[in-house]
Amino acid sequence: MPETMLAGRLDVRTRDFAVKEVPKPTPGPGEVLIKVAAAGICLSDVHLIEGQLSPLFLAGAEVTLGHEVAGTVAELGDGVTAWTEGQRVLLQAGEEKDGWVHTRGVDYDGGWAEYALATADTLVAVPDGMPFEQACIVPDAVSTPWASIVRTAGVRAGQPVGVWGIGGLGAHAVQLLRLAGAAPIVAVDPVETARDRALAFGADLALDPADDVAARVRELTGGAGLAYAFDFAGVAPVREQAVRTLERDGALVLVGLTDQPLTIRNGTQFSYFGQRILGHYGSDPEHVGELVSLVRHGRLDLSRSVSGTLPLSEAARGVEMLAHKEGNPIRLVLTP
């Protein structure tokens, strides 16, 4: 096995990113070395490189990016008995340490590399028939919307819902809301191809935010409004528009991240109707397991989720493509 490897490294002080040769890690007690087969490019990675996000727990100035990772077990550290070399696995996007969630590829080295270290209990077995390119995106692009639906919102079958922002997470939200039985599902996005994608993924109505969205929602729901409006865009105008579509006791679910202020223009009405705002972040390990089970048993198809693949050496190009929405991708994936 080689002593060095390629890795996509970010200097968090200067925000300089480069794919370069680094020492190949060795698994310690309770750790597993993974030969990476696929690693997703997330908008959070773009935000890290551009400086909108910063690690909270990183020890040192550099980190290997990549929190969506799948591959095969290459080497076992002392005390690891639950896994064997060659097993197909994906990695949870993070883990709890000292009471705080540390994110892979942010607070410690991730999977934009030929090899990645992982604590043994952060591995999840991948079915033989599931391509690595699809498996790697489950721990965030798919599990984050799934957790927002089943944990934070607790959507029930037959409830009307809306999704704002049909990108990497929002597209899966539409698909998963359909799986959960929500009805009707309204999708809102300014990009026509994104609206078309929302309809293909199961939305009942796809609107441009320039439309009179609140009126169209009331018409579709018989005047009631939405039980839940999911914001995957993290943009202030989206949140203001989404609030106006809520039914009595309805909730705005904030999934898209932003540090911009949240404004409720008619606070009295919001309070009178008992409406709510629910913050959401990430997912729990069991959500990833649930999704792998849904794929294994044919309930969830992720074959449309990978918009393209690039070699690890072209990671910077992939970041640029996602940042500029070239081709309106759902997920771009690096293949070391």
Side-chain angles (χ1 to χ4, degrees), residues 64-116:
T64 299
L65 298 183
H67 56 272
E68 297 181 336
V69 189
T72 54
V73 174
E75 188 178 340
L76 304 175
D78 290 344
V80 177
T81 58
W83 303 98
T84 58
E85 292 184 10
Q87 271 191 280
R88 307 174 80 250
V89 296
L90 60 79
L91 308 184
Q92 297 282 1
E95 59 188 291
E96 186 174 310
K97 299 180 181 181
D98 300 322
W100 297 94
V101 173
H102 289 56
T103 301
R104 190 183 308 279
V106 180
D107 298 305
Y108 59 99
D109 286 343
W112 288 12
E114 294 179 285
Y115 292 89

Tab-separated table of all heavy atoms in Angstrom, residues 64-116:
chain	number	residue	atom	x	y	z
A	64	THR	N	-8.775	18.160	5.054
A	64	THR	CA	-9.225	17.518	3.828
A	64	THR	C	-10.745	17.605	3.777
A	64	THR	O	-11.426	17.156	4.705
A	64	THR	CB	-8.783	16.043	3.781
A	64	THR	OG1	-7.356	15.983	3.818
A	64	THR	CG2	-9.281	15.361	2.517
A	65	LEU	N	-11.275	18.205	2.733
A	65	LEU	CA	-12.718	18.392	2.627
A	65	LEU	C	-13.422	17.067	2.317
A	65	LEU	O	-12.800	16.056	2.031
A	65	LEU	CB	-13.031	19.420	1.542
A	65	LEU	CG	-12.497	20.839	1.754
A	65	LEU	CD1	-12.950	21.755	0.627
A	65	LEU	CD2	-12.937	21.388	3.106
A	66	GLY	N	-14.775	17.108	2.377
A	66	GLY	CA	-15.571	15.960	1.972
A	66	GLY	C	-16.274	15.245	3.107
A	66	GLY	O	-15.643	14.482	3.842
A	67	HIS	N	-17.588	15.496	3.254
A	67	HIS	CA	-18.356	14.818	4.297
A	67	HIS	C	-19.326	13.777	3.729
A	67	HIS	O	-20.046	13.132	4.484
A	67	HIS	CB	-19.124	15.841	5.152
A	67	HIS	CG	-20.034	16.737	4.359
A	67	HIS	ND1	-19.601	17.913	3.797
A	67	HIS	CD2	-21.344	16.629	4.061
A	67	HIS	CE1	-20.606	18.503	3.174
A	67	HIS	NE2	-21.675	17.725	3.311
A	68	GLU	N	-19.339	13.628	2.411
A	68	GLU	CA	-20.160	12.591	1.777
A	68	GLU	C	-19.192	11.584	1.136
A	68	GLU	O	-18.588	11.874	0.104
A	68	GLU	CB	-21.072	13.198	0.718
A	68	GLU	CG	-22.086	14.181	1.284
A	68	GLU	CD	-23.011	14.757	0.230
A	68	GLU	OE1	-22.645	14.779	-0.968
A	68	GLU	OE2	-24.107	15.187	0.605
A	69	VAL	N	-19.060	10.397	1.750
A	69	VAL	CA	-17.959	9.495	1.392
A	69	VAL	C	-18.445	8.049	1.355
A	69	VAL	O	-19.184	7.607	2.242
A	69	VAL	CB	-16.794	9.607	2.405
A	69	VAL	CG1	-15.578	8.836	1.895
A	69	VAL	CG2	-16.442	11.061	2.690
A	70	ALA	N	-17.992	7.304	0.334
A	70	ALA	CA	-18.248	5.860	0.273
A	70	ALA	C	-17.029	5.176	-0.333
A	70	ALA	O	-16.273	5.778	-1.106
A	70	ALA	CB	-19.495	5.552	-0.551
A	71	GLY	N	-16.832	3.913	0.031
A	71	GLY	CA	-15.698	3.164	-0.492
A	71	GLY	C	-15.635	1.781	0.112
A	71	GLY	O	-16.657	1.213	0.510
A	72	THR	N	-14.424	1.231	0.206
A	72	THR	CA	-14.241	-0.109	0.747
A	72	THR	C	-13.257	-0.079	1.917
A	72	THR	O	-12.362	0.766	1.972
A	72	THR	CB	-13.700	-1.071	-0.326
A	72	THR	OG1	-12.511	-0.523	-0.898
A	72	THR	CG2	-14.730	-1.289	-1.427
A	73	VAL	N	-13.435	-0.997	2.822
A	73	VAL	CA	-12.543	-1.107	3.975
A	73	VAL	C	-11.177	-1.585	3.496
A	73	VAL	O	-11.055	-2.625	2.853
A	73	VAL	CB	-13.123	-2.082	5.017
A	73	VAL	CG1	-12.123	-2.307	6.151
A	73	VAL	CG2	-14.455	-1.558	5.565
A	74	ALA	N	-10.145	-0.782	3.813
A	74	ALA	CA	-8.784	-1.109	3.365
A	74	ALA	C	-7.918	-1.666	4.473
A	74	ALA	O	-7.050	-2.512	4.229
A	74	ALA	CB	-8.121	0.135	2.764
A	75	GLU	N	-8.120	-1.201	5.699
A	75	GLU	CA	-7.249	-1.611	6.809
A	75	GLU	C	-7.984	-1.373	8.125
A	75	GLU	O	-8.697	-0.371	8.272
A	75	GLU	CB	-5.955	-0.800	6.765
A	75	GLU	CG	-4.873	-1.251	7.731
A	75	GLU	CD	-3.599	-0.435	7.589
A	75	GLU	OE1	-3.405	0.198	6.530
A	75	GLU	OE2	-2.804	-0.428	8.558
A	76	LEU	N	-7.801	-2.286	9.076
A	76	LEU	CA	-8.472	-2.204	10.368
A	76	LEU	C	-7.486	-1.820	11.458
A	76	LEU	O	-6.372	-2.341	11.522
A	76	LEU	CB	-9.120	-3.543	10.721
A	76	LEU	CG	-10.111	-4.122	9.705
A	76	LEU	CD1	-10.558	-5.512	10.156
A	76	LEU	CD2	-11.316	-3.204	9.541
A	77	GLY	N	-7.906	-0.915	12.342
A	77	GLY	CA	-7.114	-0.597	13.505
A	77	GLY	C	-7.321	-1.620	14.605
A	77	GLY	O	-8.217	-2.473	14.534
A	78	ASP	N	-6.509	-1.555	15.640
A	78	ASP	CA	-6.625	-2.492	16.751
A	78	ASP	C	-8.014	-2.442	17.361
A	78	ASP	O	-8.599	-1.368	17.556
A	78	ASP	CB	-5.593	-2.159	17.830
A	78	ASP	CG	-4.173	-2.476	17.391
A	78	ASP	OD1	-4.012	-3.223	16.402
A	78	ASP	OD2	-3.228	-1.962	18.032
A	79	GLY	N	-8.552	-3.620	17.667
A	79	GLY	CA	-9.821	-3.719	18.361
A	79	GLY	C	-11.042	-3.674	17.472
A	79	GLY	O	-12.167	-3.821	17.966
A	80	VAL	N	-10.879	-3.505	16.172
A	80	VAL	CA	-12.036	-3.459	15.265
A	80	VAL	C	-12.344	-4.871	14.793
A	80	VAL	O	-11.525	-5.510	14.118
A	80	VAL	CB	-11.762	-2.540	14.059
A	80	VAL	CG1	-12.948	-2.568	13.097
A	80	VAL	CG2	-11.481	-1.120	14.521
A	81	THR	N	-13.521	-5.362	15.144
A	81	THR	CA	-13.914	-6.726	14.778
A	81	THR	C	-15.192	-6.771	13.952
A	81	THR	O	-15.535	-7.802	13.387
A	81	THR	CB	-14.120	-7.573	16.046
A	81	THR	OG1	-15.131	-6.952	16.871
A	81	THR	CG2	-12.826	-7.684	16.851
A	82	ALA	N	-15.916	-5.653	13.866
A	82	ALA	CA	-17.221	-5.662	13.200
A	82	ALA	C	-17.113	-5.535	11.684
A	82	ALA	O	-18.116	-5.714	10.975
A	82	ALA	CB	-18.087	-4.528	13.745
A	83	TRP	N	-15.914	-5.231	11.165
A	83	TRP	CA	-15.736	-5.017	9.736
A	83	TRP	C	-14.595	-5.867	9.210
A	83	TRP	O	-13.712	-6.275	9.958
A	83	TRP	CB	-15.458	-3.533	9.447
A	83	TRP	CG	-16.542	-2.630	9.968
A	83	TRP	CD1	-16.534	-1.925	11.137
A	83	TRP	CD2	-17.800	-2.396	9.351
A	83	TRP	NE1	-17.726	-1.239	11.282
A	83	TRP	CE2	-18.516	-1.503	10.208
A	83	TRP	CE3	-18.396	-2.810	8.174
A	83	TRP	CZ2	-19.800	-1.048	9.903
A	83	TRP	CZ3	-19.680	-2.355	7.866
A	83	TRP	CH2	-20.366	-1.490	8.720
A	84	THR	N	-14.640	-6.143	7.910
A	84	THR	CA	-13.580	-6.919	7.270
A	84	THR	C	-13.083	-6.164	6.043
A	84	THR	O	-13.821	-5.359	5.440
A	84	THR	CB	-14.079	-8.309	6.833
A	84	THR	OG1	-15.194	-8.151	5.935
A	84	THR	CG2	-14.510	-9.133	8.034
A	85	GLU	N	-11.840	-6.401	5.678
A	85	GLU	CA	-11.269	-5.727	4.516
A	85	GLU	C	-12.068	-6.063	3.254
A	85	GLU	O	-12.480	-7.201	3.053
A	85	GLU	CB	-9.804	-6.127	4.352
A	85	GLU	CG	-8.910	-5.596	5.465
A	85	GLU	CD	-7.448	-5.912	5.242
A	85	GLU	OE1	-7.111	-6.380	4.127
A	85	GLU	OE2	-6.647	-5.704	6.167
A	86	GLY	N	-12.296	-5.055	2.451
A	86	GLY	CA	-13.042	-5.226	1.209
A	86	GLY	C	-14.525	-4.931	1.315
A	86	GLY	O	-15.211	-4.844	0.283
A	87	GLN	N	-15.056	-4.774	2.527
A	87	GLN	CA	-16.475	-4.475	2.674
A	87	GLN	C	-16.813	-3.121	2.076
A	87	GLN	O	-16.063	-2.152	2.199
A	87	GLN	CB	-16.878	-4.478	4.157
A	87	GLN	CG	-17.311	-5.835	4.679
A	87	GLN	CD	-17.945	-5.718	6.057
A	87	GLN	OE1	-17.232	-5.624	7.058
A	87	GLN	NE2	-19.250	-5.724	6.118
A	88	ARG	N	-17.987	-3.055	1.446
A	88	ARG	CA	-18.479	-1.812	0.845
A	88	ARG	C	-19.208	-1.011	1.922
A	88	ARG	O	-20.127	-1.520	2.573
A	88	ARG	CB	-19.425	-2.101	-0.317
A	88	ARG	CG	-18.840	-3.032	-1.363
A	88	ARG	CD	-19.846	-3.415	-2.431
A	88	ARG	NE	-19.986	-2.366	-3.441
A	88	ARG	CZ	-21.044	-1.595	-3.595
A	88	ARG	NH1	-22.078	-1.721	-2.772
A	88	ARG	NH2	-21.092	-0.675	-4.556
A	89	VAL	N	-18.835	0.252	2.096
A	89	VAL	CA	-19.402	1.050	3.175
A	89	VAL	C	-19.573	2.507	2.729
A	89	VAL	O	-18.957	2.969	1.765
A	89	VAL	CB	-18.502	1.036	4.437
A	89	VAL	CG1	-18.404	-0.368	5.019
A	89	VAL	CG2	-17.112	1.595	4.122
A	90	LEU	N	-20.423	3.204	3.448
A	90	LEU	CA	-20.443	4.664	3.410
A	90	LEU	C	-20.119	5.159	4.811
A	90	LEU	O	-20.176	4.390	5.779
A	90	LEU	CB	-21.796	5.195	2.921
A	90	LEU	CG	-23.086	4.861	3.709
A	90	LEU	CD1	-23.250	5.741	4.939
A	90	LEU	CD2	-24.299	5.029	2.810
A	91	LEU	N	-19.749	6.426	4.920
A	91	LEU	CA	-19.362	7.000	6.208
A	91	LEU	C	-20.395	8.031	6.653
A	91	LEU	O	-20.841	8.855	5.849
A	91	LEU	CB	-17.989	7.674	6.108
A	91	LEU	CG	-16.845	6.841	5.532
A	91	LEU	CD1	-15.549	7.642	5.604
A	91	LEU	CD2	-16.708	5.513	6.267
A	92	GLN	N	-20.759	7.974	7.933
A	92	GLN	CA	-21.604	9.032	8.475
A	92	GLN	C	-20.898	10.374	8.285
A	92	GLN	O	-19.668	10.472	8.312
A	92	GLN	CB	-21.876	8.790	9.958
A	92	GLN	CG	-22.637	7.516	10.268
A	92	GLN	CD	-24.137	7.631	9.996
A	92	GLN	OE1	-24.627	8.662	9.559
A	92	GLN	NE2	-24.871	6.566	10.287
A	93	ALA	N	-21.673	11.442	8.114
A	93	ALA	CA	-21.098	12.759	7.822
A	93	ALA	C	-20.406	13.388	9.024
A	93	ALA	O	-19.749	14.424	8.887
A	93	ALA	CB	-22.179	13.696	7.305
A	94	GLY	N	-20.547	12.789	10.179
A	94	GLY	CA	-19.886	13.317	11.372
A	94	GLY	C	-20.106	12.386	12.541
A	94	GLY	O	-20.666	11.291	12.403
A	95	GLU	N	-19.662	12.815	13.715
A	95	GLU	CA	-19.834	12.011	14.921
A	95	GLU	C	-19.765	12.914	16.148
A	95	GLU	O	-19.228	14.028	16.095
A	95	GLU	CB	-18.755	10.937	15.007
A	95	GLU	CG	-17.334	11.479	15.015
A	95	GLU	CD	-16.300	10.374	14.902
A	95	GLU	OE1	-16.168	9.598	15.875
A	95	GLU	OE2	-15.628	10.288	13.859
A	96	GLU	N	-20.323	12.421	17.231
A	96	GLU	CA	-20.322	13.196	18.470
A	96	GLU	C	-19.026	12.957	19.236
A	96	GLU	O	-18.610	11.818	19.447
A	96	GLU	CB	-21.526	12.817	19.332
A	96	GLU	CG	-21.687	13.687	20.568
A	96	GLU	CD	-22.968	13.399	21.328
A	96	GLU	OE1	-24.040	13.376	20.710
A	96	GLU	OE2	-22.875	13.170	22.548
A	97	LYS	N	-18.402	14.051	19.642
A	97	LYS	CA	-17.184	13.979	20.449
A	97	LYS	C	-17.315	14.976	21.583
A	97	LYS	O	-17.573	16.164	21.338
A	97	LYS	CB	-15.956	14.329	19.604
A	97	LYS	CG	-15.709	13.391	18.425
A	97	LYS	CD	-14.477	13.814	17.650
A	97	LYS	CE	-14.235	12.913	16.452
A	97	LYS	NZ	-13.029	13.292	15.684
A	98	ASP	N	-17.204	14.493	22.815
A	98	ASP	CA	-17.292	15.353	23.999
A	98	ASP	C	-18.587	16.157	24.022
A	98	ASP	O	-18.610	17.324	24.425
A	98	ASP	CB	-16.093	16.302	24.069
A	98	ASP	CG	-14.765	15.559	24.147
A	98	ASP	OD1	-14.718	14.522	24.822
A	98	ASP	OD2	-13.794	16.014	23.499
A	99	GLY	N	-19.668	15.538	23.569
A	99	GLY	CA	-20.977	16.182	23.631
A	99	GLY	C	-21.291	17.106	22.476
A	99	GLY	O	-22.376	17.710	22.444
A	100	TRP	N	-20.381	17.234	21.502
A	100	TRP	CA	-20.599	18.116	20.360
A	100	TRP	C	-20.430	17.335	19.066
A	100	TRP	O	-19.566	16.470	18.952
A	100	TRP	CB	-19.607	19.285	20.374
A	100	TRP	CG	-19.759	20.172	21.567
A	100	TRP	CD1	-19.066	20.090	22.743
A	100	TRP	CD2	-20.683	21.242	21.731
A	100	TRP	NE1	-19.480	21.056	23.614
A	100	TRP	CE2	-20.476	21.791	23.018
A	100	TRP	CE3	-21.648	21.821	20.904
A	100	TRP	CZ2	-21.211	22.867	23.504
A	100	TRP	CZ3	-22.384	22.894	21.380
A	100	TRP	CH2	-22.162	23.405	22.662
A	101	VAL	N	-21.260	17.658	18.068
A	101	VAL	CA	-21.150	17.000	16.777
A	101	VAL	C	-19.992	17.615	15.991
A	101	VAL	O	-19.949	18.827	15.777
A	101	VAL	CB	-22.455	17.123	15.966
A	101	VAL	CG1	-22.259	16.578	14.558
A	101	VAL	CG2	-23.586	16.377	16.673
A	102	HIS	N	-19.047	16.772	15.585
A	102	HIS	CA	-17.937	17.179	14.727
A	102	HIS	C	-18.234	16.675	13.316
A	102	HIS	O	-18.584	15.506	13.124
A	102	HIS	CB	-16.620	16.573	15.218
A	102	HIS	CG	-16.113	17.163	16.498
A	102	HIS	ND1	-16.868	17.199	17.655
A	102	HIS	CD2	-14.926	17.745	16.800
A	102	HIS	CE1	-16.149	17.776	18.620
A	102	HIS	NE2	-14.983	18.124	18.124
A	103	THR	N	-18.083	17.546	12.337
A	103	THR	CA	-18.430	17.206	10.963
A	103	THR	C	-17.191	16.767	10.186
A	103	THR	O	-16.154	17.436	10.213
A	103	THR	CB	-19.074	18.407	10.253
A	103	THR	OG1	-20.255	18.790	10.982
A	103	THR	CG2	-19.479	18.057	8.824
A	104	ARG	N	-17.321	15.625	9.514
A	104	ARG	CA	-16.239	15.113	8.672
A	104	ARG	C	-15.966	16.113	7.546
A	104	ARG	O	-16.879	16.695	6.958
A	104	ARG	CB	-16.673	13.763	8.078
A	104	ARG	CG	-15.574	12.995	7.363
A	104	ARG	CD	-16.118	11.707	6.746
A	104	ARG	NE	-16.844	10.891	7.693
A	104	ARG	CZ	-16.291	10.069	8.572
A	104	ARG	NH1	-14.977	9.939	8.612
A	104	ARG	NH2	-17.047	9.343	9.401
A	105	GLY	N	-14.708	16.322	7.237
A	105	GLY	CA	-14.363	17.242	6.172
A	105	GLY	C	-14.482	18.701	6.558
A	105	GLY	O	-14.296	19.590	5.718
A	106	VAL	N	-14.789	18.953	7.820
A	106	VAL	CA	-14.883	20.319	8.343
A	106	VAL	C	-14.039	20.422	9.611
A	106	VAL	O	-13.073	21.174	9.683
A	106	VAL	CB	-16.345	20.718	8.646
A	106	VAL	CG1	-16.397	22.147	9.201
A	106	VAL	CG2	-17.216	20.591	7.401
A	107	ASP	N	-14.406	19.618	10.616
A	107	ASP	CA	-13.711	19.625	11.896
A	107	ASP	C	-12.596	18.589	11.963
A	107	ASP	O	-11.758	18.628	12.874
A	107	ASP	CB	-14.718	19.382	13.023
A	107	ASP	CG	-15.778	20.471	13.088
A	107	ASP	OD1	-15.400	21.645	13.180
A	107	ASP	OD2	-16.976	20.142	13.028
A	108	TYR	N	-12.591	17.661	11.036
A	108	TYR	CA	-11.503	16.689	10.906
A	108	TYR	C	-11.483	16.206	9.459
A	108	TYR	O	-12.425	16.459	8.693
A	108	TYR	CB	-11.640	15.521	11.894
A	108	TYR	CG	-12.910	14.712	11.768
A	108	TYR	CD1	-12.915	13.500	11.065
A	108	TYR	CD2	-14.095	15.121	12.364
A	108	TYR	CE1	-14.065	12.740	10.963
A	108	TYR	CE2	-15.261	14.369	12.268
A	108	TYR	CZ	-15.241	13.181	11.566
A	108	TYR	OH	-16.390	12.426	11.448
A	109	ASP	N	-10.411	15.535	9.058
A	109	ASP	CA	-10.204	15.211	7.648
A	109	ASP	C	-11.325	14.353	7.076
A	109	ASP	O	-11.772	13.374	7.696
A	109	ASP	CB	-8.862	14.505	7.455
A	109	ASP	CG	-7.684	15.458	7.582
A	109	ASP	OD1	-7.894	16.684	7.488
A	109	ASP	OD2	-6.552	14.965	7.778
A	110	GLY	N	-11.741	14.720	5.867
A	110	GLY	CA	-12.828	14.033	5.188
A	110	GLY	C	-12.364	13.168	4.035
A	110	GLY	O	-11.243	12.666	4.016
A	111	GLY	N	-13.239	13.041	3.031
A	111	GLY	CA	-13.061	12.028	2.007
A	111	GLY	C	-12.708	12.493	0.618
A	111	GLY	O	-12.768	11.697	-0.326
A	112	TRP	N	-12.338	13.768	0.441
A	112	TRP	CA	-11.808	14.170	-0.861
A	112	TRP	C	-10.351	13.722	-0.917
A	112	TRP	O	-9.414	14.512	-0.899
A	112	TRP	CB	-11.906	15.675	-1.045
A	112	TRP	CG	-13.306	16.188	-1.269
A	112	TRP	CD1	-14.472	15.516	-1.095
A	112	TRP	CD2	-13.660	17.505	-1.705
A	112	TRP	NE1	-15.542	16.324	-1.380
A	112	TRP	CE2	-15.080	17.547	-1.766
A	112	TRP	CE3	-12.936	18.637	-2.037
A	112	TRP	CZ2	-15.772	18.699	-2.141
A	112	TRP	CZ3	-13.617	19.781	-2.410
A	112	TRP	CH2	-15.020	19.805	-2.478
A	113	ALA	N	-10.163	12.430	-0.958
A	113	ALA	CA	-8.828	11.847	-0.874
A	113	ALA	C	-8.884	10.415	-1.367
A	113	ALA	O	-9.965	9.836	-1.547
A	113	ALA	CB	-8.323	11.882	0.568
A	114	GLU	N	-7.714	9.834	-1.579
A	114	GLU	CA	-7.676	8.442	-2.004
A	114	GLU	C	-7.996	7.498	-0.846
A	114	GLU	O	-8.528	6.400	-1.064
A	114	GLU	CB	-6.305	8.132	-2.597
A	114	GLU	CG	-6.042	8.888	-3.896
A	114	GLU	CD	-4.685	8.601	-4.482
A	114	GLU	OE1	-3.683	9.125	-3.934
A	114	GLU	OE2	-4.614	7.855	-5.494
A	115	TYR	N	-7.676	7.942	0.383
A	115	TYR	CA	-7.997	7.155	1.576
A	115	TYR	C	-8.539	8.096	2.650
A	115	TYR	O	-8.173	9.277	2.703
A	115	TYR	CB	-6.757	6.434	2.114
A	115	TYR	CG	-6.246	5.336	1.211
A	115	TYR	CD1	-5.311	5.613	0.216
A	115	TYR	CD2	-6.697	4.029	1.355
A	115	TYR	CE1	-4.837	4.622	-0.623
A	115	TYR	CE2	-6.221	3.016	0.518
A	115	TYR	CZ	-5.307	3.324	-0.468
A	115	TYR	OH	-4.857	2.331	-1.293
A	116	ALA	N	-9.398	7.556	3.517
A	116	ALA	CA	-9.956	8.356	4.609
A	116	ALA	C	-10.040	7.511	5.873
A	116	ALA	O	-10.364	6.316	5.821
A	116	ALA	CB	-11.349	8.871	4.245
